[in-house]
């Protein structure tokens, strides 16, 4: 469970990043490893954070989902270059699926076009040509015409419960500050690292 202090620090920095005019302040790199140890990374958007961890939403049949199923340890990394002297925040921990209720609630809040996209996209699978995707979009627009778009079973959230968090504060002359919080099960410890 994330401590109130860590949450407050993270939320404060995220608010600063939002106020700084960053186009994608919630963008985070998600690194996963597959069953062979090969590492993969891509950007996803943070949709919520609380004491249980960080939530993002995706396709449960995507490559990232297959990697998480094979190996549930993941890493997340934020970089906000326009606040203070530059900030990086790293999280490491376990990813698990969010409850269906959380996925339903977030899906329902999305624009209709994104909801249709979730049905139409076989995320990470080979697409023969662009027209095939456009035809699938048209198909699901027709299928759900005049009614609410339900959440597809293949789409939902993950929560990453971190056991290691590092706040990296840039400083002049490379005297960067690194503060690491580690979860030891019943308590967290905090250490400084050389930059
Ligand atoms: C700024 C940005 C935000 C993104 N947000 C998400 C997201 O929240 N969820 C998602 O599934 N993909 C998101 N993507 C697309 C992913 O980076 C990636 O292409 C996709 O999820 C397929 O990854 P995979 O094949 O490794 O599963 C985003 C891409 C960018 C550039």
């Amino acid at each position: 469970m994330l401590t109130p202090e860590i949450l407050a620090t993270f939320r404060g920095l995220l608010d600063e990043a939002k106020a700084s005019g960053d186009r994608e302040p919630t963008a985070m790199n998600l690194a996963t490893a597959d069953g062979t140890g090969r590492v993969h990374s891509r950007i996803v958007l943070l949709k919520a954070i609380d004491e249980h961890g960080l939530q993002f939403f995706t396709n449960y049949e995507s490559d990232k989902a297959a990697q998480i199923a094979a190996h549930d340890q993941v890493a997340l990394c934020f970089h906000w270059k326009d606040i203070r002297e530059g900030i990086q925040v790293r999280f490491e921990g376990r990813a698990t699926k969010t409850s269906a209720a959380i996925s339903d609630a977030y899906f329902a809040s999305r624009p209709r076009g994104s909801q249709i996209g979730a049905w139409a996209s076989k995320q990470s699978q080979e697409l023969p040509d662009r027209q095939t995707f456009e035809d699938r979009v048209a198909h699901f627009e027709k299928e759900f015409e005049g009614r609410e778009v339900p959440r597809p079973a293949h789409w939902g959230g993950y929560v990453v419960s971190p056991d290691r968090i590092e706040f990296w504060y840039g400083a002049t002359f490379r005297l960067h500050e690194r503060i690491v919080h580690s979860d030891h099960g019943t308590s967290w410890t905090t250490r400084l690292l050389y930059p």
Side-chain angles (χ1 to χ4, degrees):
M1 294 274 260
L2 280 167
T3 66
E5 294 75 24
I6 295 171
L7 271 177
T9 302
F10 180 80
R11 286 185 173 133
L13 292 170
L14 181 58
D15 286 346
E16 280 184 47
K18 287 177 177 167
S20 77
D22 190 313
R23 275 182 60 191
E24 295 283 9
T26 61
M28 52 188 186
N29 186 77
L30 164 69
T32 52
D34 64 26
T36 71
R38 188 181 172 104
V39 175
H40 308 258
S41 80
R42 80 293 282 155
I43 302 292
V44 292
L45 298 180
L46 174 73
K47 290 300 172 185
I49 179 169
D50 63 19
E51 65 273 24
H52 302 293
L54 297 93
Q55 284 175 26
F56 66 91
F57 293 85
T58 192
N59 185 308
Y60 285 149
E61 294 169 358
S62 63
D63 282 354
K64 75 179 82 51
Q67 290 146 17
I68 291 169
H71 181 84
D72 65 4
Q73 297 290 328
V74 305
L76 298 169
C77 187
F78 292 83
H79 178 211
W80 297 306
K81 51 188 180 304
D82 295 328
I83 62 172
R84 306 190 196 183
E85 303 290 321
I87 305 274
Q88 171 177 249
V89 189
R90 298 164 58 176
F91 294 87
E92 293 169 11
R94 247 186 102 217
T96 50
K97 286 183 180 173
T98 56
S99 66
I102 286 177
S103 296
D104 286 342
Y106 178 63
F107 188 81
S109 78
R110 301 186 85 203
R112 193 176 173 87
S114 306
Q115 294 175 331
I116 296 285
W119 279 95
S121 174
K122 301 181 182 181
Q123 192 178 61
S124 315
Q125 292 186 35
E126 184 169 343
L127 173 65
D129 51 50
R130 189 75 197 166
Q131 190 60 45
T132 304
F133 181 52
E134 280 163 22
D135 290 348
R136 283 179 61 82
V137 170
H139 167 84
F140 287 108
E141 270 168 356
K142 194 154 182 286
E143 178 160 336
F144 297 119
E145 202 175 334
R147 61 188 179 104
E148 274 185 24
V149 182
R151 176 176 66 89
H154 65 252
W155 192 98
Y158 285 95
V159 59
V160 176
S161 310
D163 56 16
R164 189 182 193 278
I165 299 154
E166 177 185 322
F167 293 97
W168 182 102
Y169 298 91
T172 45
F173 305 118
R174 307 258 152 201
L175 298 176
H176 316 303
E177 202 182 344
R178 299 177 66 187
I179 304 171
V180 176
H181 304 278
S182 305
D183 184 2
H184 300 281
T186 48
S187 65
W188 286 77
T189 55
T190 300
R191 295 169 295 139
L192 301 182
L193 298 183
Y194 283 97

